[in-house]
């Protein structure tokens, strides 16, 4: 692995890590204990488990992580999760100029979509919605690069939605068969997706030719190889390719890694070793449909056959997995929605997996996009990431009558950040035939972060499908939801899940405490919890190599927020 990247060095990381840990305890910067950047071992906050100022404790796992931040066996590197930045683009359109009226009667969806299209023709910019309540009888599509839809604030601008996606587009069945409605986990009344990709998806839905929803098209065949990749190790930023001729700095490429007959790729995602090797993979048909693993990433430098990436490799690259860089469907980038509330007409919640599609905001085939200061109410499903990567959801809130998925992250979504989020307590009792999940992740999704959250209901949901290397940090949760997932979707967790500084207000352990459940994972700074209600057993036999530290505490761990501390390391 390269010892330097984007100004980061091993020595700088160690020095920065010591300062970050001390800063998290005291609130002020601290100097590294040694000019070389070696960790402090003198019984001060740098010592594993030692009490710091204000009673905080720095766990041994943090010290270990700073020694190997890109290759730690239990904690993933997520310091680059989220959009590069939330940009302020110049205002180029006001929806009122296109016919929007805050009168509660006029359907303003066509006007809003016309304003968005006009901004796209202008080369991008911000479309504003003034204070007031604007009725929408259709969905709003943000399908163009560098176009932002901005209200006057979530407490001032409201879009009042009156129809669901079944009415607007049609019934959406599952590609796996059965009677389930795919609107239970897909699509939004505010939908951020490339226009061409959205057109293709909705045409397939209307034709009842249920599509794959990811980066390589409805049939997963809209890609071509750019180059093969030489063997590499997880955590490397620079790889060696056979043909760099079509690569350039700034290009978004797809890392594509296939499984072999022995399912050693899936074993690797699970941490390798005897447990994953003994697991029976062959009948996990839904899980097997998720591979090849597809990871979007930008190229930052090309020097001969050496190519540097925007983020470190999430997995080893072995010849038997045919690692390659490929094309993909054109992505949506630089788009966002800000400062508004989507208030859906209140209807009874549908039975489980039969949602009609009163859904909130969804990002699909989006890279480096964002949602900021947005509230959704009375939705079936709140905020979704579907084959979305490097996106940020900030200051978001889900409320109203209660929902199926407050947040969902699926279909190979990677490197996303959800921060400062709130799941409100439902305003009406849950119907008996419904299920509440929470902050969901599934379908080989990896390196996603949920940070600084308040969950007044729900859980840390996995729908199986072997998600791996995801982080939940600095969250308070009333753990009363349930996870989902078909048996043929495989394990609940892959390797390197981390729960760091989590407070469970009702004392329920399920999906919070990972040491007996997730392989090669970490639970740090969790208050005391017990097993009740939905209780799971580990998918893998033998030693899980999962770590538990500072158990029985909350807000004692330093640094308090694992994502923020990792991000500080890379500055």
């Amino acid at each position: 692995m390269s010892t330097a990247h984007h100004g980061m060095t091993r020595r700088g990381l160690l020095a920065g890590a010591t300062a970050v840990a001390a800063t998290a305890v005291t609130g002020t910067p601290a100097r590294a204990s040694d000019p070389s950047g070696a960790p402090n071992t003198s019984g001060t906050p740098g010592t594993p488990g030692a009490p710091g100022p204000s009673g905080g404790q720095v766990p041994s796992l943090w010290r270990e992580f700073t020694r190997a931040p890109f290759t730690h066996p239990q904690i993933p590197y997520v310091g680059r999760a989220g959009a590069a930045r939330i940009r302020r683009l110049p205002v180029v359109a006001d929806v009122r100029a296109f016919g929007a009226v805050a009168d509660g009667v006029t359907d303003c969806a066509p006007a809003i979509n016309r304003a968005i299209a006009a901004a796209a023709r202008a080369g991008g910019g911000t479309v504003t919605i003034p204070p007031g309540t604007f009725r929408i009888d259709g969905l709003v599509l943000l399908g163009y690069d560098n176009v932002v839809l901005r209200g006057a604030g979530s407490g001032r601008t409201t879009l009042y939605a009156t129809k669901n996606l079944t009415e607007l587009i049609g019934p959406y069945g599952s590609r796996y068969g059965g009677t389930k409605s795919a609107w239970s986990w897909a699509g939004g009344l505010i939908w951020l997706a490339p226009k061409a990709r959205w057109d293709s998806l909705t045409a397939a839905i209307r034709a009842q030719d249920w599509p794959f929803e990811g980066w390589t098209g409805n049939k997963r065949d809209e890609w071509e190889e750019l180059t093969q990749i030489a063997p590499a190790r997880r955590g490397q930023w620079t790889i060696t390719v056979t043909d760099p001729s079509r690569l350039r700095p700034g290009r978004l490429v797809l890392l594509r890694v296939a499984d072999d007959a022995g399912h050693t790729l899936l074993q690797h995602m699970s941490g390798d070793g005897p447990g994953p090797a003994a697991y029976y993979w062959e009948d996990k048909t839904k899980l097997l449909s998720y591979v090849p693993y597809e990871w979007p990433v930008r190229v930052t430098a090309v020097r001969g056959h050496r190519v540097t990436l925007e983020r470190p490799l999430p997995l080893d690259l072995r010849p038997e997995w045919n690692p390659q860089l490929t094309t993909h469907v054109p992505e949506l980038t630089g788009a966002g929605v800000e400062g508004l509330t989507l208030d859906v007409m209140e209807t009874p919640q549908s039975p489980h997996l039969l949602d009609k599609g009163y859904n909130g905001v969804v990002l699909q085939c989006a890279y480096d996009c964002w949602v900021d200061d947005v509230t959704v109410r009375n939705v079936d499903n709140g905020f979704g990431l579907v084959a979305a990567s490097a996106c940020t959801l900030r200051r978001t809130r889900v409320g109203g009558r209660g929902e199926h998925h407050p947040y969902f992250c699926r279909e190979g979504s990677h490197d996303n950040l959800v921060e400062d989020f709130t799941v409100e307590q439902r305003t009406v009792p849950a119907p008996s035939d419904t299920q509440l999940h929470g902050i969901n992740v599934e379908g080989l999704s990896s390196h996603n972060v949920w940070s600084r959250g308040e969950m007044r209901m729900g859980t840390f949901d996995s729908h199986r499908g072997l998600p791996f290397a995801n982080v939940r940090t600095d969250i308070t949760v009333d753990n009363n939801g349930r996870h989902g997932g078909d048996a043929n979707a495989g394990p609940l967790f892959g390797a390197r899940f981390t729960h760091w500084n989590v407070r469970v207000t009702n004392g329920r352990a399920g999906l919070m405490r990972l040491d007996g459940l997730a392989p090669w994972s970490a639970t740090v700074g969790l208050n005391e919890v017990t097993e009740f209600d939905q209780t799971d057993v580990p998918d893998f036999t033998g030693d899980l190599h999962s770590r538990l530290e500072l158990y029985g505490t909350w807000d004692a761990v330093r640094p308090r927020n694992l994502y923020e501390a990792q991000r500080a390391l890379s500055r």
Side-chain angles (χ1 to χ4, degrees), residues 553-564:
T553 71
W554 178 72
D555 209 32
V557 60
R558 301 295 185 267
R560 288 186 175 94
N561 187 294
L562 181 62
Y563 164 74
E564 292 173 358

Side-chain angles (χ1 to χ4, degrees), residues 542-553:
D543 187 354
L544 294 180
H545 301 281
S546 194
R547 302 274 294 275
L548 178 69
E549 200 163 354
L550 295 182
Y551 176 62
T553 71

Side-chain angles (χ1 to χ4, degrees), residues 128-142:
T128 58
I129 310 176
T133 297
F134 295 80
R135 175 173 171 159
I136 56 170
D137 297 335
L139 64 85
V140 171
L141 176 64
L142 276 157

